Structure formats: C-alpha cells, structure tokens
Amino acid sequence: MKRTALLITAALMVSPVFAAEDLCRVNLQKIEDNKATNPILGDPLKQQVADLESEAKKYQAAGDLEKCASSAQQALTLLEKQNTEGGGEGTQ
C-alpha cells in the first residue's frame, strides 16, 4: 500500500514539470505558426514579439520552463491583440 502511495505521489509531483514543458513548447510553436500566417507586423510589435520569443527560448534552454511559457504567452498575447485590433482595419 505504501509503495502505491509513493508511486502516485511521485507521478503527481512530476506532472507539473511536463505541463510546463508542453506549454513552453506549444506556445513557441504557436508563435512560429502566427509569424508564418501573418508575416506583416509593424516594427514596434515585431521587435517586442522577437524579444519575448528569444527570451522564452533562452529560458527553455536553461530549463526554466515556467518562465519560458510565461514569456511565450506574453508574445502570443501581443500577437492576438494585434490580430483582433488590426483585423478590422480598412473595412469601413
């Protein structure tokens, strides 16, 4: 019984690490996808996204997956904001 409890506890402790790794990887992939489908970005936004993406990759390489996911999410938020605000321009 104790062995089963230890295995379950160990599995639960490892799960957040895999979740952070997945979120980091997925967010970086979403940035790449967004850049491929929307190649036209204004200079301030393009530089901000590039800086956050670079920061996220540095955190990923250093093994700090939570900071990687956070930086990548910030870049995605900027891209999504641009897509929703910029998507309706020129339609009037």
Side-chain angles (χ1 to χ4, degrees):
M1 187 65 156
K2 287 183 182 181
R3 187 179 297 171
T4 303
L6 286 174
L7 288 173
I8 291 171
T9 302
L12 291 174
M13 291 176 69
V14 173
S15 295
V17 173
F18 289 122
E21 182 177 0
D22 286 346
L23 189 56
C24 170
R25 184 178 46 80
V26 167
N27 283 350
L28 286 172
Q29 184 60 50
K30 284 181 182 179
I31 293 169
E32 289 298 320
D33 293 346
N34 193 302
K35 290 185 335 186
T37 58
N38 299 317
I40 301 172
L41 292 175
D43 273 337
L45 176 64
K46 187 175 186 176
Q47 188 59 48
Q48 287 176 323
V49 170
D51 290 345
L52 286 166
E53 181 182 19
S54 175
E55 183 177 275
K57 288 179 179 180
K58 286 179 187 176
Y59 285 134
Q60 183 183 36
D64 194 340
L65 301 175
E66 288 182 18
K67 286 185 179 178
C68 168
S70 176
S71 294
Q73 184 58 51
Q74 289 176 20
L76 285 172
T77 300
L78 289 173
L79 290 169
E80 289 170 3
K81 183 177 177 183
Q82 171 65 26
N83 290 340
T84 57
E85 289 179 357
E89 289 181 21
T91 57
Q92 293 181 352

